[in-house]
């Protein structure tokens, strides 16, 4: 793209899913807005020549990591290379709906400034059939984007695969994604954005098409499946601790995150989750009792699964 004006940067982290990445890139090529660059950050093994040729043909910016850094770190690297004032995210196994990014960029151009404390996302169609995904992505759709006025936190928390976009200034202001969190880094990120005073904007339309089918090999499987419940519990506990201040403003969101932690802790075995809950501050006695019952149910279910 040389010195051409770039306002938007699409960032796609990838890890050993070349056939799916190729489909994602073709989806992006048909949906990219004006003044946009596309950045692929390869955190896996070297690409085949055909994939490299496609990347060159489409004018995609390519970045190779040293490998195995994780999706959060790969996205941070993509953000460092981005020339755009706004960052648009796509996962390597998903597709973007035609017209969604144009709606986002039109909304940004009309209502926002490049330095605004703003981010947003859409809903997604979840599919296991790749041909159906392509049909859905290509179908015309209307996208009405508006500020999320709800005072609660949960409607403002979304995965980065949900057509997520954010101003680059805001991204860097909060320190980007926590690369130490190999799962649920998006939950942590949204809470950081909200703590910084960011305003959420979203649409109820399906702007992304998410793949939940067979990824082919273990190396290509979803990030979440590569980490056990014990490790995922530790990630949730980290979020509870590091984002305690913002979570204290919404007891329902706080309880929702505690449930996610306790479920993983129960599945990991032992009493750590229950003991951590007992020692927790900032929870009412009644809330603790309800969460303890939730943990006990998952502990029983986990024990039955292991038999």
């Amino acid at each position: 793209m040389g010195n051409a004006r770039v306002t938007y940067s699409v960032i796609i982290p990838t890890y050993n899913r070349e056939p799916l990445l190729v489909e994602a890139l073709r989806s992006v090529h048909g949906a990219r807005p004006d003044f946009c660059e596309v950045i692929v950050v390869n955190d896996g093994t070297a690409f085949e020549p055909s994939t490299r040729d496609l990347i060159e043909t489409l004018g995609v910016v390519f970045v190779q990591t040293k490998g195995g850094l994780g999706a959060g770190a790969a996205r941070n690297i993509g953000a460092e290379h981005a020339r755009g004032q706004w960052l648009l995210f796509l996962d390597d196994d998903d597709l973007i709906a035609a017209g969604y990014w144009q709606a986002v960029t039109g909304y940004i151009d009309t209502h926002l400034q490049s330095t605004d404390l703003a981010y947003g996302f859409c809903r997604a169609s979840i599919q296991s059939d790749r041909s159906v995904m392509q049909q859905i992505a290509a179908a015309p759709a209307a996208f009405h984007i508006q500020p999320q006025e709800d005072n609660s936190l949960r409607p403002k928390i979304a995965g980065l695969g949900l057509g997520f976009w954010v101003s680059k200034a805001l991204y860097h202001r909060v320190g980007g994604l926590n690369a130490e969190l190999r799962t649920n880094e998006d939950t942590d990120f949204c809470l950081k954005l909200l703590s910084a005073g960011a305003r959420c904007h979203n649409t109820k339309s399906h702007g992304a098409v998410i793949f939940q089918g067979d990824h082919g090999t273990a190396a290509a499987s979803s990030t979440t499946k590569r980490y056990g419940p014990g490790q995922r519990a530790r990630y949730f506990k980290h979020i509870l601790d590091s984002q305690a201040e913002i979570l204290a403003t919404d007891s329902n969101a706080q309880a929702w995150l505690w449930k996610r932690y306790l479920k993983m802790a129960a599945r990991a075995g032992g009493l750590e989750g229950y003991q951590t809950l007992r020692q927790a501050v900032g929870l009412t006695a009644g809330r603790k009792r309800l969460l303890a019952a939730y943990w006990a149910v998952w502990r029983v279910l986990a024990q039955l699964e292991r038999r």
Side-chain angles (χ1 to χ4, degrees):
M1 229 176 243
N3 294 319
R5 171 186 166 192
V6 174
T7 306
Y8 302 97
S9 297
V10 174
I11 298 174
I12 308 175
T14 187
Y15 182 80
N16 294 344
R17 297 200 282 212
E18 278 188 65
L20 301 181
L21 172 66
V22 166
E23 288 187 32
L25 286 173
R26 288 174 175 151
S27 168
V28 169
H29 185 65
R32 60 192 290 175
D34 294 334
F35 311 114
C36 174
E37 66 178 355
V38 180
I39 302 171
V40 168
V41 183
N42 183 21
D43 197 38
T45 55
F47 288 158
E48 294 292 331
S50 59
T51 304
R52 295 198 299 269
D53 289 345
L54 177 65
I55 285 173
E56 183 175 353
T57 299
L58 296 180
V60 173
V61 178
F62 173 73
V63 183
Q64 176 72 53
T65 76
K66 64 181 181 181
L69 299 182
R75 290 187 179 102
N76 286 340
I77 291 170
E80 290 295 333
H81 283 79
R83 292 187 291 149
Q85 297 168 323
W86 294 89
L87 309 179
L88 317 176
F89 292 96
L90 181 67
D91 288 352
D92 62 353
D93 57 341
D94 300 336
L95 305 179
I96 200 72
Y100 171 64
W101 279 336
Q102 286 85 352
V104 168
T105 58
Y107 179 82
I108 290 172
D109 290 344
T110 303
H111 299 285
L112 304 175
Q113 299 296 321
S114 62
T115 56
D116 273 358
L117 298 178
Y119 73 99
F121 52 87
C122 61
R123 292 186 179 178
S125 176
I126 300 174
Q127 302 290 330
S128 59
D129 187 311
R130 299 297 298 187
S131 61
V132 172
M133 290 179 65
Q134 292 171 3
Q135 293 171 14
I136 293 173
F143 300 97
H144 177 60
I145 302 169
Q146 59 185 4
Q148 174 57 258
E149 303 292 358
D150 196 312
N151 289 328
S152 60
L153 297 177
R154 281 198 61 188
K156 302 171 185 176
I157 298 173
L160 296 182
L162 295 181
F164 202 96
W165 54 270
V166 61
S167 80
K168 185 169 71 171
L170 176 59
Y171 189 94
H172 290 307
R173 175 173 175 172
V174 302
L177 292 155
N178 185 342
E180 298 301 317
L181 301 178
R182 293 303 184 98
T183 66
N184 304 107
E185 70 277 9
D186 39 22
T187 298
D188 178 74
F189 182 60
C190 287
L191 290 171
K192 290 199 298 184
L193 296 178
L194 293 166
S195 294
R199 193 177 190 189
C200 176
H201 308 254
N202 55 32
T203 175
K204 295 181 179 180
S205 299
H206 292 181
V209 190
I210 292 180
F211 182 50
Q212 286 197 347
D214 182 7
H215 285 74
T217 66
S221 64
S222 71
T223 301
T224 301
K225 292 179 181 179
R226 291 201 294 269
Y227 298 97
Q231 193 163 3
R232 293 182 65 194
R234 289 191 291 274
Y235 294 151
F236 281 126
K237 184 59 170 58
H238 175 85
I239 297 171
L240 282 165
D241 291 341
S242 61
Q243 306 303 331
E245 184 174 351
I246 184 72
L247 288 169
T249 67
D250 186 341
S251 60
N252 289 330
Q254 184 185 53
W256 165 72
L257 197 53
W258 265 102
K259 285 182 177 180
R260 299 182 78 184
Y261 161 67
L262 291 170
K263 176 181 176 180
M264 290 297 110
R267 291 181 60 193
L271 299 175
E272 181 178 345
Y274 177 70
Q275 292 168 343
T276 301
L277 177 62
R278 287 189 61 187
Q279 298 166 5
V281 297
L283 293 172
T284 65
R287 182 74 77 178
K288 281 190 176 184
R289 285 193 294 270
L290 291 173
L291 290 172
Y294 181 86
W295 171 84
V297 169
W298 273 104
R299 184 168 187 246
V300 170
L301 291 174
Q303 289 172 336
L304 291 174
E305 289 177 358
R306 287 193 286 267
R307 288 181 178 176

